[in-house]
Amino acid sequence: MDIYIDTANLDEIKRAASLGVLDGVTTNPSLVAKEGVDFRTRLEEICQVVEGPVSAEVVAIEHDAMIAEAEPLIQIAPNIVIKLPCIEEGLRACKTLSDRDVKVNMTLCFQPLQALLAAKAGAFLISPFVGRIDDVGGDGMEVVQQIRQIYDNYSYTTKILTASIRHPQHMVQAAMMGSDVATAPLKVIQQMMKHPLTDVGLKRFLDDWEKAKTLLVKEPAMA
Ligand code: E4P
């Protein structure tokens, strides 16, 4: 499963990239607004750090305006993926851009039929927002499973990008369900490598090693 980081914070992206397991980046208008930086400049900076897909979202909600907004973003770098919302105009814009071989990430997906249409329109990625579905009492991971089955039934090549991830268990489930990609905040990516027993076990190994070294110094081996 590919792992993307879900942030517009450059330090976090560099930190995740330094782990050697980062495959891409997703941004959204809220994440960019939080950084208080120029959108285009930040995308240029991100594309210098990450070679994999970098999703850049348009804020227009009408086909022609979406395409107009996408044009300069596409020019930033070859790994830019245009992020469009799962609405009718977004679907049309997805078809227009996909027909031009521009990669599209259909975002704000909350039910499997949106994913079916996105695949038919040629989307490169579909982003089901599992955390936000859970937030309103639904089952976000069930939506991912439904999309997986639909895509497998018809051999759609659109990649499932499990998004709005809140905790490591979402990552486990995404990987077990065959999600192609999962995008998560840095905190969740770091949590993936953590287990208290690893820390306890490591401390014990290091303590035992210190004791063994003391013994070796006191009782050197006979020549
Ligand atoms: C994905 O592309 C979105 O940016 C993101 O996962 C949304 O997550 P949130 O629900 O935590 O805002």
Side-chain angles (χ1 to χ4, degrees):
M1 182 173 75
D2 282 353
I3 296 174
Y4 294 179
I5 187 167
D6 194 30
T7 184
N9 182 288
L10 201 59
D11 290 337
E12 290 184 357
I13 292 168
K14 285 180 180 166
R15 187 139 177 210
S18 75
L19 297 174
V21 295
L22 188 68
D23 300 294
V25 178
T26 49
T27 65
N28 67 39
S30 306
L31 292 171
V32 177
K34 201 167 96 183
E35 295 303 310
V37 290
D38 175 66
F39 185 36
R40 189 187 170 91
T41 308
R42 179 47 49 96
L43 287 171
E44 286 169 357
E45 291 168 336
I46 295 172
C47 289
Q48 278 165 17
V49 177
V50 178
E51 283 179 14
V54 174
S55 286
E57 189 159 345
V58 304
V59 289
I61 53 171
E62 185 274 323
H63 173 278
D64 292 355
M66 285 174 170
I67 304 300
E69 216 183 304
E71 298 293 358
L73 299 177
I74 299 162
Q75 305 307 322
I76 292 175
N79 52 333
I80 287 283
V81 175
I82 300 300
K83 211 171 172 191
L84 302 168
C86 278
I87 57 174
E88 280 189 26
E89 294 291 297
L91 193 66
R92 286 194 193 98
C94 175
K95 177 74 177 141
T96 302
L97 291 172
S98 301
D99 283 350
R100 285 173 46 190
D101 287 332
V102 173
K103 287 185 172 157
V104 172
N105 173 359
M106 289 299 282
T107 191
L108 291 169
C109 170
F110 294 96
Q111 52 111 331
L113 295 178
Q114 291 175 316
L116 172 61
L117 294 179
K120 288 177 72 69
F124 170 61
L125 293 163
I126 181 72
S127 293
F129 275 32
V130 296
R132 292 194 198 183
I133 296 172
D134 293 355
D135 288 346
V136 294
D139 184 344
M141 294 314 304
E142 188 185 4
V143 173
V144 172
Q145 196 154 39
Q146 290 169 327
I147 299 171
R148 181 72 281 156
Q149 187 172 336
I150 291 167
Y151 282 8
D152 289 349
N153 285 349
Y154 300 102
S155 303
Y156 287 123
T157 55
T158 300
K159 290 177 188 293
I160 302 173
L161 190 171
T162 301
S164 184
I165 281 182
R166 303 271 193 263
H167 46 71
Q169 201 53 34
H170 275 149
M171 298 296 270
V172 175
Q173 290 175 288
M176 289 184 68
M177 284 174 188
S179 180
D180 301 285
V181 192
T183 188
L186 178 63
K187 184 178 161 216
V188 174
I189 295 173
Q190 289 170 324
Q191 284 172 326
M192 289 172 72
M193 198 58 191
K194 280 212 103 34
H195 194 284
L197 290 181
T198 305
D199 297 337
V200 169
L202 180 61
K203 183 174 182 325
R204 192 179 300 166
F205 284 154
L206 295 180
D207 289 349
D208 289 346
W209 188 246
E210 280 306 312
K211 280 184 218 150
K213 269 186 359 197
T214 318
L215 286 176
L216 284 174
V217 172
K218 280 187 186 155
E219 300 165 30
M222 300 290 286

